[in-house]
Amino acid sequence: LAVTAWSARDSQRSGQLGRIVVTADAMEHLVRRASRIVTGAAAAVLVTVVVASPLLLDAASIDLDRIGARCLVLFAGCSLLLAARSYRHAAARTLLRLAGLGALASLAVHLVAGPGAGHVDTFFYVALALGVVALAAAVATGRGWRSVWWSRRAEVAESLCGSLAFAAAVVAAGMFRRLWEMTS
């Protein structure tokens, strides 16, 4: 933390040449407060994703909206999993990973037991799930996220998943369908 940070400045001037010296107590207080804020935000993300994902998937009744809802939950879950890797705060990282896994689990349950499940090609989804598990195991075993090559790929994937989640939100909310119906 830079000594010029407004949140870490001490009100008393002590030190050489008029520099501001941050006391250890002030730093500990700042770190504890920031830790609580980051943990609370990650917990809020977890609760929101775990509650909203099944509700969104169940609320989509028209095929086009259902496709958008599935894409939104998929890309948001993947984006959360990829974003969690960049957090040094262990609790926040764990909560964001749980949020991403919760979104993907609700999508898996919806694909297996939800409306339109008879049209699901089970082999495709099983093969895709096994591929994702194999990739995650390979990265975890080789500590791949720590290498520069894997880290760059993960950043690109995170940005792509986030962008696609925003795009899918338009379809999932029914805006695309409504515009389509208005023009036809």
Side-chain angles (χ1 to χ4, degrees), residues 122-140 145 150:
T122 306
F123 176 76
F124 172 74
Y125 289 121
V126 169
L128 183 65
L130 290 174
V132 168
V133 169
L135 177 66
V139 169
W145 294 134
W150 272 108

Side-chain angles (χ1 to χ4, degrees), residues 10-137:
D10 195 7
S11 60
Q12 298 175 347
R13 287 191 173 257
S14 59
Q16 297 175 346
L17 303 174
R19 290 186 300 166
I20 297 174
V21 177
V22 180
T23 64
D25 291 338
M27 286 303 301
E28 288 177 17
H29 175 70
L30 177 69
V31 170
R32 277 195 306 271
R33 182 172 177 258
S35 178
R36 282 193 311 268
I37 290 171
V38 169
T39 303
V45 168
L46 172 65
V47 170
T48 302
V49 167
V50 168
V51 170
S53 294
L55 292 175
L56 174 65
L57 292 169
D58 289 339
S61 58
I62 300 173
D63 287 338
L64 187 61
D65 296 346
R66 193 176 298 138
I67 291 168
R70 288 175 180 173
C71 288
L72 176 59
V73 172
L74 172 70
F75 293 131
C78 291
S79 183
L80 284 168
L81 286 173
L82 289 166
R85 72 179 175 75
S86 63
Y87 279 79
R88 291 226 180 251
H89 192 274
R93 186 172 54 239
T94 302
L95 291 171
L96 288 176
R97 284 180 179 162
L98 287 174
L101 290 174
L104 295 179
S106 67
L107 178 62
V109 167
H110 177 75
L111 289 175
V112 171
H119 303 298
V120 175
D121 188 1
T122 306
F123 176 76
F124 172 74
Y125 289 121
V126 169
L128 183 65
L130 290 174
V132 168
V133 169
L135 177 66

